[in-house]
Amino acid sequence: MTLPKIANNIDICICTFQRDHLTKTLLSVSEMEPVSGYKIAIIVVDNDWEPSAKTKAEDFAKTSKYPIKYLHCPAGNISIARNGCLNASSAEFLAFIDDDETVGKYWLKSLIEHIESKRADVVLGPVIAHYQKNAAAWLKRADFHSTYPVCSDGKIKTGYTCNVLMRMTSTSIAGQQFNLERGRTGGEDTEFFSKIYKAGGRISYDKDAIVEEVVPEDRATLKWLLNRKFRFGQTHGKLLLMNLGPIGKIEQIFIAFSKVIYCLIFATLKIFDKPACYKNLLRGTLHVGTMSGLFNFSELTLYGKPTPAKE
């Protein structure tokens, strides 16, 4: 059931799954600059099988200047948690951040000013990655983990949930839900914002609404980046496939294959320049994933964990 939206209210939604960093994320929200004329609240949605984040949320609520609502929406499927946020919110504006991030002091203030001045339906902000001391030098130079929107033909046609503010009274957003089938593969946010764009929603970008994250060791590897790029490509290919006939499908497969060859050639030419070499290798992997999606192969499962066995 869709709740009536309350003007000048903002809900900050944080989906969490077995992550201790949640406390730091909440602390950064509590320390940000208030937004004059707007009422702010926090929604924490726990996607664990057990309500493992409940104590963290309750402890934070004791000293928080913003009211906090805790919801348990199991299990191991991020789309369930994201939809829990959408369904629980009655605010005119809804923001998403991740439970491994911290927000800047003026993060929300900047997003609100931007969405109001631009009359946008969705505003994305950057996610700045910070690498640990033992991370590879090439990874720090290349900075593959920071997140920015992608423009196509001068427009932003999709988005992400790691730093976003949405106008929930927009007709392009009303009734939209995250696809449960993508809740463990990833790509649910790409599909969600693509649907908003196709419904006429305006997606904008605010470079000053900064969110930061520290890259954990298990993600600071070329293997992890390759898997993620491949899955990104699979999502893109499957979204393309929804609007293609047989001829169009063949054309897109040929285009993707040509891009793979191009990227592999340039990766080889840059073999002694790791950031440049890996950049082309990752792009090539993205296009391999696109072909996989166009052939409608099953997508990689990157997130969540199998359901615990019953004793």
Side-chain angles (χ1 to χ4, degrees):
M1 182 179 69
T2 303
L3 298 175
K5 303 307 176 187
I6 304 173
N8 297 332
N9 275 28
I10 309 169
D11 282 340
I12 300 171
C13 295
I14 307 169
C15 298
T16 189
F17 184 88
Q18 300 180 357
R19 188 166 272 155
D20 291 335
H21 191 278
L22 174 64
T23 300
K24 293 181 180 179
T25 301
L26 291 169
L27 182 61
S28 73
V29 171
S30 71
E31 293 176 343
M32 71 182 184
E33 188 76 10
V35 184
S36 180
Y38 293 84
K39 184 177 179 180
I40 299 170
I42 302 169
I43 300 175
V44 172
V45 177
D46 191 349
N47 197 217
D48 197 359
W49 294 275
E50 301 295 330
S52 57
K54 186 176 182 181
T55 300
K56 294 184 181 70
E58 290 177 344
D59 288 346
F60 172 78
K62 294 174 184 177
T63 57
S64 174
K65 60 184 176 184
Y66 302 120
I68 182 168
K69 179 189 293 185
Y70 170 86
L71 297 174
H72 185 217
C73 295
N77 182 313
I78 191 61
S79 291
I80 294 174
R82 299 208 195 287
N83 289 337
C85 292
L86 296 179
N87 298 335
S89 175
S90 59
E92 179 183 6
F93 297 99
L94 184 150
F96 274 111
I97 55 173
D98 288 346
D99 62 349
D100 59 349
E101 298 173 339
T102 54
V103 304
K105 185 176 181 180
Y106 299 101
W107 163 71
L108 190 59
K109 186 174 185 290
S110 186
L111 284 175
I112 279 291
E113 289 176 352
H114 188 100
I115 202 170
E116 293 285 39
S117 64
K118 301 295 184 181
R119 302 307 301 168
D121 301 298
V122 175
V123 179
L124 302 167
V127 179
I128 308 301
H130 297 283
Y131 297 92
Q132 300 185 43
K133 290 182 179 180
N134 60 347
W138 64 263
L139 187 61
K140 295 177 182 178
R141 284 175 55 202
D143 190 22
F144 292 128
H145 288 79
S146 292
T147 303
Y148 306 94
V150 176
C151 287
S152 176
D153 302 322
K155 297 179 180 179
I156 303 173
K157 299 181 180 180
T158 188
Y160 42 76
T161 48
C162 47
N163 186 2
V164 64
L165 180 70
M166 300 184 289
R167 188 188 302 272
M168 301 308 292
T169 53
S170 168
T171 56
S172 62
I173 297 176
Q176 299 281 15
Q177 294 274 287
F178 290 89
N179 186 348
L180 297 182
E181 293 182 0
R182 295 191 182 280
R184 294 191 65 220
T185 63
E188 79 292 336
D189 49 355
T190 300
E191 180 180 309
F192 179 82
F193 289 105
S194 293
K195 289 190 295 184
I196 289 173
Y197 175 80
K198 290 177 181 178
R202 293 182 61 247
I203 304 177
S204 187
Y205 173 61
D206 178 10
K207 64 180 178 59
D208 297 318
I210 295 172
V211 162
E212 298 177 297
E213 68 173 358
V214 176
V215 180
E217 289 186 15
D218 63 341
R219 295 190 177 192
T221 66
L222 181 60
K223 180 181 178 181
W224 188 89
L225 288 165
L226 288 169
N227 282 336
R228 186 174 71 159
K229 280 293 184 181
F230 181 78
R231 203 276 304 151
F232 281 177
Q234 286 185 305
T235 300
H236 177 63
K238 292 205 171 189
L239 291 176
L240 285 175
L241 193 61
M242 293 169 61
N243 300 307
L244 291 175
I247 301 299
K249 176 181 175 180
I250 293 172
E251 289 177 348
Q252 289 299 322
I253 290 172
F254 177 77
I255 290 170
F257 179 75
S258 300
K259 290 180 177 179
V260 170
I261 300 302
Y262 175 90
C263 291
L264 289 178
I265 290 172
F266 275 87
T268 303
L269 292 174
K270 296 289 186 177
I271 191 69
F272 297 110
D273 180 355
K274 280 189 176 181
C277 175
Y278 292 162
K279 181 178 181 180
N280 283 284
L281 186 61
L282 288 167
R283 283 181 175 176
T285 303
L286 175 76
H287 299 307
V288 172
T290 299
M291 289 193 293
S292 172
L294 288 166
F295 281 114
N296 206 26
F297 292 158
S298 297
E299 294 184 56
L300 291 180
T301 298
L302 299 182
Y303 306 106
K305 298 178 183 179
T307 304
K310 294 182 179 180
E311 295 182 357

